[in-house]
Structures are given as structure tokens and as C-alpha cells.
């Protein structure tokens, strides 16, 4: 028997060694891959914190940046009476205000901006807005000046008022410039509302304790009102600029008159009258456009409409005109808006809105889950044809169909008593316009 040649034996040995090395490498790769899957650390990274492979790190950073840039999904809402949705804000809207000339709507949000919208675009497909930046802060409340050339905001972090002046540019737009100094800090509790008198004579700020301050336009406090209501839930200036009112823990609404002399100099603040009739705390109240009517909603589960066109100096009290049920108010705080003509009452609880006819006290419309968050503000425009609400990143505008129905009812009632032809023709025209508006909205009752 012959033994194999030496070169052949070496070749076989080398081949076997090579196969063994390949098998060992394959096993090592499998072990490293298994370790990466269980530990979450790439096999190329050492336990002592040596940086990841550049390509892996770059890919991970891009994924994280993509996640950060994704905006939260906008709340979707549809309804046959929805007129428009204004969606330019990137943060939740806390307050809005229609200008006295009816041309603009101001909104403020926690995205550090105030936006000024053109109301003539509301029923168009595109909704234009101009942006004013709130430097190093954001506004929680906003109000137009009576001449619509400025607006004031309450600063969330600064706890004070800031004034912005509006300057019209040649292209028709505006530039917004904050005044050099903010108002001094005077409130010790969070501020719940601000306002400017339509006469331009004073500014009001109210905090959640029992304090309401009356300021002049230069930032000087003219008077301090202690409401003695345990806490303030709401406060506002009447459209006639004569009164300031507040509500809170007590079952009434207190109203004061802000008095000025014939030369426009401030004199005093005196108690005028109270709205008494609720049996529990009052959540909210509102004035009609002529200040002759007020509405209130209470924790007792009712809303009330009042005639406030009284001679309070002769000890005359407001008259209660209507009481309606609103059970939601007994469990959660509510907001209220009264149409300019006091014919329609809007109540907001949570993210829903309910519309009532104040002549009959009946609910006529209900909008459920209007916003992705609780409604923060509710207001009719100066014509009363639209109702605006906010609560997330959008303002939603609704056609006021109960308002058109109220006009139909009123015109039909007046026609029965009309004595001359010219009056009848005028009433007939108004009746036809209201009926046509209802027909176009698909809300004409047969």
C-alpha cells in the first residue's frame, strides 16, 4: 500500500483548514447579529460608548426629525350650517374678538401669534389673515380698540397688558408694532378677561380672585373693584361703555357704572344693579348690542334673559323676561353668547354648542363635538348672521338659522298689527329676506 504524495496531503489539509475558518466566521456573524437584536445595540458599537456607524446615526437622526415635524392631526367637523373654518394657527386658540366696524376678527393662540382675519373672506374658499408676533410670550386674551387701529393682549407669562398699534401699508396690509412698555403688573391672581370701552375712555381687567381693575389708556389704575363674590368667573364691559359687570361664586350678576365728567375726566365707580334669580353660582353672562338686554347661565341648570333698560337710580330692578333649562350647566362650566338683537342665545359646554330662541325659550340647533378641545370662546359677529367658536387650532363659523327664524316670527307678528301700507311693505321685504336666507340654508320649516 502506497502512502499519498506530500504535496497532495498538504493541499487537503489547507482545504480543510479554510472550510473550518469559514464556518467559524459564519457562526461569529450569527452570534453578533443575535446580540444586536436582543440588546438593541449595533454589533459595531462597543459597550464603552464608542459612537455608532455614521450612516446608521444619520438615518436615526432623520427619522427623529421627521417625527418632530409631524403636526397633530386637525379635528374634523362637518355640519350643514357650518359656514367656514379658519385654520392658520399652529397652536390652540384661546380668545377672539370682532372689530367694531365688522371688518376684522382677531384671534390669539399659544403659537405666539395674533392673527387678524378679513370677515369679507369668511364665505370664500380662501381665508386671508395677517400675523402679529408676540415676542418671548403668547397672548391668552385679545381685544380691538374702538377705532380698530390697535389691539391689546394679555400676556400668559408676563401677566400684563401689551398694546399693539396697527399701521396700514400701501399694499393694503398692516404692520403691527408693540408699544415700548407694557402695563404695570397689578393682579395677584390669573386674569380671566380684559376689555376696552367703546368710548375709548377706559380698559378693564378682571382676575379670578375678586378683583376688577379700571385703567386709563396710559396704564394707570383709575379704580379697583372688589366684587365680593368669593371668586370671579367672568367680567365684561357693556357695549354702551357705561357699565362693568361680573359673576362668580354667588348666585347673582353684579353691575357697576363707571362715571366720567362732562369733560371726560374719570370720577368714580358706583354700584348700579344686580341680576337676582339664580339659585347657584353664575358661570357666564352677556349683553345685547344695545345693552338693554342681558343673559346669564348658572350652575342651577338654567339660563335667564333680562330686561336691563331700567332706571336703577330710582331703585328700579331689571325684569326677568325668560327662563330656560340647560342641564349641562349643573355639572360643567359653560360659556354664553347673546346675538346682537337678543333673539338667539348660544351656550357652549365642553366641545358642543346649543342655540336657543329667546322669544320661546326653545332649543333650535345643537352642534356636537365642534372642536377637539373644550370651547374657549364663543361670539356672534356684529351682524348676528354668524356665530364663531374656538377651542383647538381652528375657528368655526356657523350660519345663525335660529336668528333668521326669529326675524320671520317677529315680522309676521308685526304685519298683523301694521296700520299703513309703507310699513307693511317694509315688513314684507324683511320677511322675504329672512325666508330666502332660511331656504338657502335648507333650514326653512314647512
Amino acid at each position: 500500500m502506497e502512502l499519498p504524495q506530500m504535496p497532495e496531503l498538504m493541499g487537503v489539509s489547507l482545504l480543510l483548514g479554510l472550510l473550518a475558518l469559514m464556518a467559524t466566521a459564519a457562526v461569529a456573524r450569527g452570534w453578533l447579529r443575535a446580540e444586536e437584536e436582543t440588546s438593541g445595540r449595533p454589533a459595531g458599537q462597543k459597550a464603552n460608548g464608542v459612537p455608532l456607524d455614521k450612516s446608521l446615526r444619520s438615518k436615526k437622526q432623520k427619522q427623529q426629525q421627521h417625527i418632530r415635524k409631524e403636526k397633530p392631526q386637525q379635528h374634523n367637523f362637518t355640519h350643514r350650517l357650518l359656514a367656514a373654518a379658519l385654520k392658520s394657527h399652529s397652536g390652540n386658540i384661546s380668545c377672539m374678538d370682532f372689530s367694531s366696524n365688522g371688518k376684522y376678527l382677531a384671534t390669539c393662540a399659544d403659537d405666539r401669534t395674533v392673527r387678524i382675519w378679513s370677515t369679507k373672506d369668511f364665505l370664500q374658499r380662501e381665508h386671508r389673515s395677517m400675523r402679529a408676533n408676540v415676542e418671548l410670550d403668547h397672548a391668552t386674551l385679545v381685544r380691538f380698540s374702538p377705532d380698530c387701529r390697535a389691539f391689546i393682549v394679555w400676556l400668559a407669562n408676563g401677566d400684563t397688558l401689551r398694546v399693539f398699534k396697527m399701521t396700514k401699508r400701501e399694499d393694503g396690509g398692516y404692520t403691527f408694532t408693540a408699544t415700548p412698555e407694557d402695563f404695570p403688573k397689578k393682579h395677584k391672581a390669573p386674569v380671566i378677561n380684559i376689555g376696552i370701552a367703546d368710548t375709548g375712555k377706559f380698559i378693564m381687567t378682571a382676575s379670578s380672585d375678586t378683583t376688577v381693575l379700571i385703567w386709563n389708556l396710559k396704564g394707570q389704575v383709575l379704580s379697583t373693584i372688589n366684587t365680593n363674590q368669593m371668586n370671579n368667573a367672568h367680567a365684561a364691559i357693556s357695549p354702551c361703555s357705561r357699565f362693568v359687570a361680573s359673576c362668580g361664586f354667588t348666585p347673582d350678576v353684579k353691575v357697576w357704572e363707571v362715571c366720567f365728567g362732562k369733560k371726560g375726566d374719570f370720577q368714580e365707580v358706583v354700584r348700579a344693579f344686580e341680576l337676582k334669580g339664580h339659585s347657584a353660582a353664575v358661570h357666564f353672562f352677556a349683553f345685547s348690542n344695545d345693552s338693554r338686554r342681558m343673559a346669564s347661565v348658572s350652575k342651577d341648570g338654567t339660563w335667564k334673559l333680562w330686561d336691563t333698560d331700567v332706571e336703577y337710580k330710582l331703585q328700579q330692578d331689571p325684569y326677568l323676561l325668560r327662563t330656560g333649562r340647560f342641564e349641562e350647566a349643573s355639572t360643567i362650566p359653560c360659556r354664553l353668547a347673546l346675538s346682537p338683537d337678543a333673539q338667539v342665545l348660544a351656550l357652549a359646554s365642553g366641545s358642543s354648542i346649543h342655540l336657543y330662541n329667546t322669544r320661546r325659550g326653545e332649543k333650535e340647533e345643537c352642534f356636537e363635538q365642534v372642536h377637539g378641545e373644550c370651547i374657549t370662546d364663543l361670539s356672534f359677529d356684529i351682524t348676528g348672521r354668524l356665530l364663531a367658536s374656538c377651542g383647538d387650532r381652528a375657528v368655526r363659523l356657523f350660519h345663525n338659522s335660529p336668528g333668521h327664524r326669529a326675524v320671520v316670527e317677529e315680522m309676521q307678528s308685526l304685519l298683523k298689527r301694521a296700520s299703513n301700507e309703507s310699513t307693511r311693505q317694509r315688513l314684507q321685504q324683511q320677511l322675504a329676506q329672512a325666508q330666502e336666507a332660511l331656504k338657502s340654508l335648507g333650514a326653512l320649516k314647512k
Side-chain angles (χ1 to χ4, degrees):
M1 179 177 172
E2 292 183 357
L3 294 171
Q5 297 283 337
M6 250 345 246
E8 293 175 350
L9 185 61
M10 291 176 64
V12 171
S13 300
L14 288 170
L15 180 60
L16 291 172
L18 182 61
L19 289 172
L21 286 170
M22 291 175 64
T24 303
V27 171
R29 282 198 300 272
W31 178 82
L32 289 170
R33 190 177 297 112
E35 183 185 48
E36 178 182 348
E37 291 174 354
T38 56
S39 67
R41 182 176 67 246
Q45 178 180 342
K46 296 182 180 179
N48 62 2
V50 176
L52 295 170
D53 178 80
K54 289 184 178 179
S55 62
L56 292 174
R57 184 168 65 236
S58 176
K59 185 177 181 180
K60 192 172 182 180
Q61 288 174 343
K62 287 181 180 178
Q63 289 175 343
Q64 291 174 342
Q65 290 173 356
H66 179 69
I67 292 171
R68 282 197 298 267
K69 288 180 181 178
E70 286 182 354
K71 294 181 179 180
Q73 188 174 357
Q74 182 73 273
H75 177 73
N76 291 320
F77 174 83
T78 58
H79 194 278
R80 61 182 175 81
L81 293 178
L82 182 65
L86 315 180
K87 298 181 177 181
S88 292
H89 278 291
S90 61
N92 285 347
I93 303 168
S94 57
C95 184
M96 56 190 177
D97 188 46
F98 284 99
S99 62
S100 59
N101 61 10
K103 293 182 178 181
Y104 304 107
L105 172 68
T107 56
C108 65
D110 57 14
D111 58 8
R112 294 187 173 185
T113 68
V114 174
R115 287 193 175 269
I116 310 296
W117 308 80
S118 174
T119 57
K120 69 179 181 180
D121 296 335
F122 282 175
L123 301 183
Q124 307 298 321
R125 293 187 63 182
E126 298 294 329
H127 305 120
R128 295 178 295 170
S129 68
M130 298 171 286
R131 186 180 71 184
N133 295 320
V134 182
E135 297 295 337
L136 304 175
D137 211 326
H138 72 271
T140 58
L141 298 162
V142 61
R143 295 286 179 258
F144 273 110
S145 64
D147 60 6
C148 307
R149 296 179 182 176
F151 59 86
I152 61 173
V153 300
W154 186 262
L155 301 178
N157 300 321
D159 290 327
T160 187
L161 277 176
R162 179 172 293 173
V163 180
F164 283 83
K165 293 183 178 180
M166 302 168 56
T167 307
K168 197 164 187 176
R169 302 194 304 261
E170 292 182 359
D171 62 1
Y174 283 87
T175 57
F176 307 100
T177 307
T179 52
E181 293 185 6
D182 298 332
F183 276 36
K185 296 182 181 181
K186 295 292 184 179
H187 284 282
K188 297 179 180 179
V191 164
I192 57 172
N193 201 18
I194 61 176
I196 308 178
D198 281 354
T199 55
K201 291 182 178 180
F202 68 94
I203 291 173
M204 179 219 70
T205 59
S207 53
S208 60
D209 48 16
T210 60
T211 305
V212 175
L213 296 181
I214 306 299
W215 309 70
N216 65 16
L217 302 188
K218 296 180 180 179
Q220 299 169 327
V221 176
L222 301 174
S223 181
T224 300
I225 302 172
N226 183 357
T227 64
N228 293 314
Q229 292 173 313
M230 297 290 288
N231 69 278
N232 295 331
H234 180 58
I237 303 174
S238 64
C240 66
S241 299
R242 185 180 172 187
F243 303 110
V244 167
S246 76
C247 66
F249 183 77
T250 58
D252 51 19
V253 179
K254 296 181 179 180
V255 183
W256 292 264
E257 183 177 5
V258 184
C259 304
F260 288 83
K262 293 182 178 180
K263 296 182 179 179
D265 54 314
F266 172 76
Q267 292 184 329
E268 60 179 344
V269 176
V270 296
R271 178 72 70 86
F273 55 85
E274 296 179 5
L275 306 182
K276 295 181 178 181
H278 286 293
S279 60
V282 178
H283 292 306
F284 214 86
F285 66 85
F287 290 91
S288 64
N289 194 48
D290 59 7
S291 303
R292 298 173 63 184
R293 298 287 186 272
M294 289 181 69
S296 57
V297 60
S298 167
K299 195 175 179 179
D300 63 12
T302 68
W303 60 263
K304 295 181 182 293
L305 181 71
W306 310 81
D307 179 354
T308 54
D309 186 21
V310 296
E311 292 291 339
Y312 80 87
K313 292 181 180 179
L314 300 178
Q315 309 301 315
Q316 190 176 12
D317 293 323
Y319 299 100
L320 178 61
L321 300 174
R322 180 77 58 190
T323 297
R325 295 298 305 174
F326 187 62
E327 296 297 340
E328 290 88 338
S330 62
T331 55
I332 58 175
C334 302
R335 299 188 71 89
L336 177 154
L338 188 61
S339 63
D341 59 6
Q343 299 275 27
V344 180
L345 179 71
L347 290 165
S349 61
S351 60
S352 300
I353 301 172
H354 311 261
L355 298 183
Y356 288 80
N357 179 305
T358 58
R359 289 167 63 90
R360 292 180 277 102
E362 298 175 1
K363 183 191 292 189
E364 294 206 2
E365 297 289 349
C366 180
F367 311 126
E368 300 284 351
Q369 297 180 339
V370 177
H371 296 277
E373 306 286 343
C374 289
I375 292 171
T376 54
D377 208 354
L378 190 68
S379 178
F380 286 93
D381 74 334
I382 64 169
T383 67
R385 295 173 184 171
L386 294 173
L387 173 68
S389 69
C390 62
D392 45 28
R393 291 179 287 132
V395 173
R396 290 191 164 82
L397 298 156
F398 296 90
H399 293 288
N400 181 16
S401 61
H404 294 302
R405 291 194 197 103
V407 171
V408 169
E409 292 175 11
E410 185 178 19
M411 294 305 106
Q412 289 174 339
S413 175
L414 292 173
L415 274 168
K416 293 177 182 179
R417 304 194 301 268
S419 57
N420 60 69
E421 188 60 27
S422 61
T423 301
R424 291 185 61 84
Q425 289 180 354
R426 178 175 55 81
L427 296 174
Q428 285 282 9
Q429 184 180 7
Q430 290 178 297
L431 175 62
Q433 290 174 346
Q435 289 175 328
E436 184 60 32
L438 287 170
K439 185 178 179 180
S440 66
L441 297 174
L444 184 62
K445 292 183 178 180
K446 295 182 181 179

